[in-house]
Amino acid sequence: MEPILTQKPAKAEIVKNAKAYVLALLEEKLPAQLVYHSPKHTTAVVKEARALSEAAGLSEADQEAVVLAAWFHDTGYLDTYDGHEFRSAELAGEWLTQQGYPAERTELVQTLIKATHRDATRETELEQLLVDADMSGMGRDDFFANAELLRAEWETSLGKTYSNTEWAENQLAFLLAGKYYTKAAKDRYQDQHKDNIKEQRKLLKKTEKKKKKKTEEEEGTFAEPKRGIETMFRTMYSNHMKLSDMADKKANMMISLNAVLMSLIITYFGAKLGSKTAALSNVGVIRNPIIAVPMGILLATALASVITAILCAQPDVTSFKWLKRSPQIATNRRVNLLFFGNFSKLSLDDFQSGMTQLMQQKDALYTNMVTDIYYLGDVLTKKYRLLRLSYTIFMVGLILTALSFGIALLYKM
């Protein structure tokens, strides 16, 4: 007797054909910006729908209907985003009819697909099973990775943009509002769903903490020193020190130059006046007294220039005699405990008391730093005013010396 060949059930054939058709359709026509509602998502929903149907003990016919609905449930995204479920039901009906699928079963598949709409009422077990499979993501360990894909999809497709905090709040609200209808889904996803809620709460707290820190760094207050303020003070101190050093070097240069000129002129005149030979003979400045005019101008110029340069270079220490009588040293905006010219006038006890106040009050610390910068700027203003005067005298003196020397030569000729 020949063995009887068992024919493959029709249900397996229709599901296989539906899989091939839907995957090919999605690969070919699905918009590229749909990175969440992709073939991968559809395949995952089908897998979960099959697992839930088996766990619920559905008949083969009902399992077939649920799986077919799962394959077609997102095909409507090819034509529309909002309300895609109804378009998905239409596409499923058209294809199943072409395949000769029974009309009543086709209508069932369409009803199941429409049940996945957010406002639909899920009354039958099959509808609830498909919805649970579609929402299985919130009870899986890949929830957070898929959520980022959905965020990107909404931004590109719907123009909805979210900050990290807003998105974290949105996802937490979604998880808290989400629920599973069937016992099979609760047994399969409930534990991971609870873990995802806990993890999302932690993520929200972390995001809010980062946002608060960023806001504080941007706004920054004297009550809580921030990096930007500290950088500003560091830069200002550095610039003041550089400018002061530059002024001292220029003043020293003028002192050296004019001192040499004065030495040469005085030595020359001293040698001429002190020499008996020069006094008896008609040479040098005695024979040409008019030459003494430019030499005298140059000497006066060098003297005035060197005096102003010395005034520029000499130390200028500001102090306040009344500091000892100030009861609140650290909070007085005219007092600068960071500068020796101020605190050197205090007793050791007063200085220690003031520094203790300063270290305990952050606003007082910044007040002293601001005061210090102000007086450094005041000293720099005096330095550069005197330095400019020294250079101006030297320049004018050289011009007058050259003019007078030229006039003397013309007169002589």
Side-chain angles (χ1 to χ4, degrees):
M1 186 176 180
E2 295 182 1
I4 299 175
L5 297 176
T6 58
Q7 190 177 14
K8 200 171 184 180
K11 75 172 188 67
E13 195 66 30
I14 191 68
V15 170
K16 180 180 178 182
N17 292 340
K19 174 182 178 182
Y21 172 75
V22 170
L23 290 180
L25 190 64
L26 294 179
E27 291 290 349
E28 180 182 356
K29 297 183 178 181
L30 189 70
Q33 64 267 27
L34 299 187
V35 292
Y36 174 76
H37 293 100
S38 63
K40 179 181 177 181
H41 168 72
T42 298
T43 303
V45 172
V46 170
K47 176 183 176 182
E48 299 302 326
R50 183 177 286 113
L52 292 178
S53 298
E54 292 176 356
L58 297 183
S59 64
E60 290 185 356
D62 286 344
Q63 288 187 37
E64 178 185 281
V66 172
V67 173
L68 284 172
W71 275 118
F72 279 93
H73 85 287
D74 275 347
T75 53
Y77 277 111
L78 299 175
D79 301 318
T80 183
Y81 202 96
D82 192 23
H84 68 277
E85 296 87 355
F86 302 101
R87 179 56 183 158
S88 298
E90 292 177 3
L91 292 173
E94 293 172 2
W95 186 83
L96 289 172
T97 300
Q98 293 174 1
Q99 301 299 311
Y101 201 62
E104 67 278 5
R105 304 303 294 177
T106 298
E107 185 178 352
L108 175 60
V109 171
Q110 290 180 304
T111 302
L112 295 179
I113 294 174
K114 292 176 183 178
T116 60
H117 190 274
R118 59 181 176 274
D119 297 328
T121 302
R122 296 86 184 226
E123 297 178 350
T124 68
E125 183 182 15
L126 299 186
E127 292 174 348
Q128 294 174 353
L129 279 172
L130 181 60
V131 172
D132 285 344
D134 193 23
M135 301 298 290
S136 61
M138 64 182 182
R140 299 202 309 263
D141 55 7
D142 59 353
F143 168 78
F144 296 98
N146 290 332
E148 290 303 313
L149 294 177
L150 181 62
R151 180 181 181 180
E153 181 176 304
W154 283 2
E155 289 180 357
T156 55
S157 300
L158 305 179
K160 294 182 178 180
T161 57
Y162 299 86
S163 67
N164 290 335
T165 302
E166 290 172 342
W167 183 250
E169 291 173 347
N170 179 286
Q171 291 304 100
L172 180 59
F174 169 72
L175 288 172
L176 291 174
K179 65 177 182 178
Y180 292 108
Y181 294 94
T182 62
K183 182 179 183 303
K186 292 177 181 178
D187 294 341
R188 186 175 177 86
Y189 310 120
Q190 199 70 45
D191 292 340
Q192 186 62 48
H193 183 207
K194 292 180 180 179
D195 291 341
N196 288 342
I197 291 176
K198 292 179 182 178
E199 187 63 27
Q200 187 63 53
R201 283 198 173 108
K202 291 180 182 178
L203 184 60
L204 178 58
K205 289 181 180 179
K206 186 177 180 180
T207 305
E208 289 177 339
K209 186 176 180 181
K210 286 183 178 180
K211 181 181 178 181
K212 182 179 178 181
K213 183 178 180 180
K214 184 178 180 181
T215 303
E216 290 175 349
E217 288 178 351
E218 290 176 350
E219 296 179 352
T221 62
F222 282 169
E224 296 183 15
K226 300 302 175 186
R227 184 177 300 175
I229 297 176
E230 293 171 356
T231 301
M232 178 191 71
F233 278 113
R234 190 181 301 112
T235 302
M236 292 181 71
Y237 272 116
S238 176
N239 290 340
H240 278 73
M241 295 300 103
K242 289 179 181 178
L243 289 172
S244 180
D245 184 60
M246 187 185 302
D248 290 338
K249 288 180 179 179
K250 290 180 179 295
N252 289 331
M253 182 180 68
M254 292 301 295
I255 293 172
S256 301
L257 176 60
N258 287 288
V260 171
L261 285 176
M262 291 175 62
S263 298
L264 291 175
I265 296 171
I266 292 173
T267 300
Y268 178 77
F269 274 105
K272 292 296 182 181
L273 294 175
S275 174
K276 292 182 178 181
T277 305
L280 294 174
S281 63
N282 284 330
V283 294
V285 292
I286 303 300
R287 191 175 69 178
N288 301 302
I290 195 170
I291 299 299
V293 175
M295 299 292 283
I297 293 176
L298 185 59
L299 179 61
T301 296
L303 179 61
S305 182
V306 78
I307 288 174
T308 52
I310 291 173
L311 290 175
C312 173
Q314 73 177 1
D316 186 8
V317 179
T318 57
S319 61
F320 298 90
K321 295 181 180 180
W322 48 268
L323 283 177
K324 293 181 179 180
R325 300 192 298 274
S326 177
Q328 296 295 328
I329 295 175
T331 57
N332 192 318
R333 68 183 184 88
R334 290 180 55 84
V335 180
N336 178 21
L337 287 178
L338 305 180
F339 180 57
F340 76 95
N342 285 189
F343 69 71
S344 61
K345 302 297 182 180
L346 297 172
S347 66
L348 178 59
D349 291 339
D350 289 337
F351 177 67
Q352 290 177 337
S353 175
M355 288 300 293
T356 300
Q357 294 178 34
L358 190 63
M359 290 184 288
Q360 292 176 346
Q361 303 175 29
K362 294 179 181 180
D363 57 340
L365 173 62
Y366 281 109
T367 298
N368 271 260
M369 293 176 71
V370 170
T371 304
D372 192 31
I373 290 175
Y374 176 82
Y375 285 114
L376 282 174
D378 186 50
V379 171
L380 275 179
T381 301
K382 295 178 182 177
K383 278 181 175 288
Y384 276 90
R385 185 169 59 245
L386 290 170
L387 186 61
R388 182 180 179 83
L389 181 60
S390 177
Y391 272 82
T392 301
I393 292 172
F394 186 72
M395 178 183 66
V396 172
L398 288 179
I399 294 173
L400 292 177
T401 299
L403 289 175
S404 61
F405 187 74
I407 293 171
L409 288 178
L410 290 174
Y411 176 79
K412 181 65 177 175
M413 294 174 63

